[in-house]
Amino acid sequence: MGIIERIKEIESEMARTQKNKATEYHLGQLKAKIAKLRTQLLEPPKGSSGGGDGFEVTKFGHGRVALIGFPSVGKSTLLTTLTGTHSEAASYEFTTLTCIPGIIHYNDTKIQLLDLPGIIEGASEGKGRGRQVIAVAKSSDLVLMVLDASKSEGHRQILTRELEAVGLRLNKRPPHIYFKKKKTGGISFNSTMPLTHVDEKLCYQILHEYKIHNAEVLFREDATVDDLIDVIEGNRKYIKCVYVYNKIDVVGIDDVDRLARLPNSIVISANLKLNLDRLLARMWEEMGLVRVYTKPQGQQPDFSEPVVLSADRGGCTVEDFCNHIHRTLVKDLKYALVWGTSARHYPQHCGLTHLLQDEDVVQIVKKKEKDEGGKGRFKSHSNAPARIADREKKAPLKQ
């Protein structure tokens, strides 16, 4: 029996099982088995050289956004409209067969937009190049799920289910669970608050399903069984997602109003170029990009080329700013002068841990090199301690 057949068999068993207090341990074990099988499904086959027919493109710019959706929902038209890059668009499905990148120039930054082929139900099992599409989406900073406003709401649920099946968690944060494997000592189970979904026995059963018999587990929140499995697997990607409802020009105003009020959603028309400025503003807001301008000592700030930081790519502190310019700059830093919304007064003397905000101006002040003591013949060039350096014989004065 193949992996896909085993997954379907366990899913049908879970559907037949009644959910109550007596069956929660059994259901927890079944969820752990499905998670293990899906991880095996995503692994490359043994004996393969690692090469494949994927279509990963090199990362470029200050952020990466992936367009995901069913065929013929307007992804290629949206890419062409926003970036100017030509992507083949036609009235038939599967017009786009590979990954087509484009660059959006917005707020002095460059954002890479990827037009991916449409995925269908069963993409997590490899149907319709689904695995390659989802692999590219995992490397993105933001996912735009493009949906047809004139079609049923079920498309959004199908796509979310397919992405979650391969370890993509949309608009969620990592669970506050501390997990560490040990060599000996058994399983240590603790929590900082009352738990309503998981108890010690269920945690032991799930860990034994993964053949883990020595570990530390600490719950810092009232997490579910699925959260515990995600932490044990350790390969989940938590990514922000905006649901983009395209083709609003073919539906009524009441439907447009209803879709626009849904959480994490925005309505557009790529063909008529409606509401695209709001889409760009929403992308900027979700990615959390921070522009920082440099100011050389005694000169005006340079507003032509900002240093772009983000929490997802390193961080937004003064230390991250220094590392972005040069990795040796942190050692030479004495303090930083900051102008902008993150400063309490202008300029503010800040250390490495100061959190920068959008459109701040930063001037780096370096440490001064200490002069060595003594002059002329009595100047010491030795790195030895003073009491030894003083005893070293100096060269005679020139005649």
Side-chain angles (χ1 to χ4, degrees):
M1 187 185 292
I3 295 176
I4 296 173
E5 289 78 12
R6 284 160 66 191
I7 288 174
K8 291 192 172 168
E9 186 182 339
I10 295 172
E11 283 177 342
S12 62
E13 185 180 347
M14 288 177 66
R16 292 194 305 268
T17 307
Q18 291 184 348
K19 293 182 180 179
N20 53 46
K21 196 72 177 172
T23 60
E24 64 178 5
Y25 300 112
H26 180 59
L27 286 170
Q29 280 187 307
L30 293 178
K31 285 180 178 178
K33 283 181 180 176
I34 284 183
K36 278 178 64 182
L37 290 171
R38 281 184 174 148
T39 303
Q40 291 176 24
L41 196 63
L42 292 174
E43 291 173 355
K46 290 182 179 177
S48 66
S49 60
D53 55 350
F55 37 71
E56 176 63 277
V57 294
T58 307
K59 275 195 176 185
F60 179 81
H62 305 111
R64 170 181 271 201
V65 179
L67 297 172
I68 281 189
F70 278 95
S72 292
V73 292
K75 298 188 296 297
S76 299
T77 308
L78 184 60
L79 176 92
T80 305
T81 307
L82 290 178
T83 66
T85 304
H86 178 67
S87 181
E88 189 68 32
S91 57
Y92 52 86
E93 295 187 344
F94 296 106
T95 315
T96 305
L97 298 175
T98 185
C99 178
I100 299 174
I103 300 296
I104 301 173
H105 296 272
Y106 186 73
N107 283 352
D108 295 330
T109 61
K110 296 172 184 173
I111 300 171
Q112 188 179 42
L113 188 66
L114 302 179
D115 179 20
L116 298 170
I119 60 176
I120 55 176
E121 193 169 2
S124 59
E125 298 167 3
K127 291 183 182 177
R129 304 196 78 179
R131 285 190 205 166
Q132 292 99 317
V133 173
I134 293 168
V136 176
K138 272 191 170 183
S139 67
S140 305
D141 302 308
L142 176 69
V143 167
L144 292 185
M145 190 182 287
V146 186
L147 302 161
D148 194 333
S150 62
K151 294 190 177 173
S152 67
E153 193 65 21
H155 283 191
R156 173 172 167 171
Q157 297 170 2
I158 292 169
L159 285 171
T160 304
R161 191 165 61 244
E162 293 294 332
L163 294 175
E164 290 207 341
V166 293
L168 268 173
R169 299 289 178 262
L170 303 179
N171 296 324
K172 292 182 181 176
R173 54 167 182 76
H176 292 310
I177 302 174
Y178 173 77
F179 172 75
K180 184 181 179 183
K181 289 183 185 179
K182 297 190 298 185
K183 292 184 178 178
T184 56
I187 295 172
S188 168
F189 179 87
N190 289 296
S191 65
T192 58
M193 59 177 58
L195 302 178
T196 58
H197 305 287
V198 182
D199 59 7
E200 193 169 352
K201 181 182 174 184
L202 180 54
C203 179
Y204 282 13
Q205 287 185 339
I206 291 171
L207 289 171
H208 289 165
E209 187 65 42
Y210 281 93
K211 296 182 173 59
I212 298 172
H213 305 290
N214 302 288
E216 270 184 69
V217 182
L218 173 62
F219 280 77
R220 294 194 177 100
E221 66 176 2
D222 187 14
T224 61
V225 177
D226 296 318
D227 292 335
L228 176 60
I229 292 171
D230 287 349
V231 171
I232 295 171
E233 286 281 348
N235 59 356
R236 305 303 191 228
K237 179 73 186 289
Y238 297 86
I239 193 166
K240 293 176 182 175
C241 176
V242 176
Y243 303 99
V244 181
Y245 289 92
N246 191 20
K247 304 182 183 179
I248 58 170
D249 49 314
V250 299
V251 297
I253 190 66
D254 294 335
D255 291 328
V256 173
D257 184 60
R258 178 180 58 82
L259 294 172
R261 293 178 186 277
L262 293 174
N264 302 311
S265 300
I266 193 162
V267 291
I268 65 160
S269 173
N271 198 22
L272 298 181
K273 300 181 181 179
L274 298 176
N275 210 27
L276 294 182
D277 53 346
R278 181 71 193 107
L279 173 63
L280 289 171
R282 185 63 182 270
M283 284 167 51
W284 175 268
E285 181 186 329
E286 292 291 338
M287 294 175 74
L289 297 179
V290 173
R291 293 165 294 172
V292 181
Y293 299 99
T294 56
K295 181 187 179 302
Q297 195 166 359
Q299 299 178 29
Q300 292 295 321
D302 179 17
F303 292 112
S304 60
E305 195 73 26
V307 175
V308 181
L309 308 171
S310 72
D312 296 331
R313 291 194 179 190
C316 301
T317 62
V318 172
E319 183 176 1
D320 303 317
F321 171 76
C322 294
N323 288 329
H324 197 281
I325 296 172
H326 201 278
R327 62 189 177 197
T328 60
L329 193 57
V330 174
K331 297 176 184 176
D332 301 332
L333 178 75
K334 186 177 182 183
Y335 58 86
L337 293 174
V338 179
W339 293 262
T341 52
S342 70
R344 295 181 184 175
H345 48 82
Y346 300 153
Q348 181 178 341
H349 286 55
C350 301
L352 291 172
T353 57
H354 179 76
L355 199 63
L356 298 170
Q357 294 181 11
D358 192 29
E359 295 189 311
D360 278 359
V361 176
V362 176
Q363 177 183 322
I364 298 297
V365 179
K366 291 185 177 181
K367 298 174 185 173
K368 290 184 179 178
E369 294 182 4
K370 292 181 180 178
D371 293 328
E372 294 177 357
K375 288 184 179 181
R377 179 170 178 261
F378 302 100
K379 190 173 181 180
S380 172
H381 296 280
S382 174
N383 293 325
R387 60 182 183 278
I388 300 174
D390 289 344
R391 283 189 243 127
E392 289 181 0
K393 191 174 180 181
K394 306 293 190 299
L397 289 171
K398 290 183 180 179
Q399 295 294 333

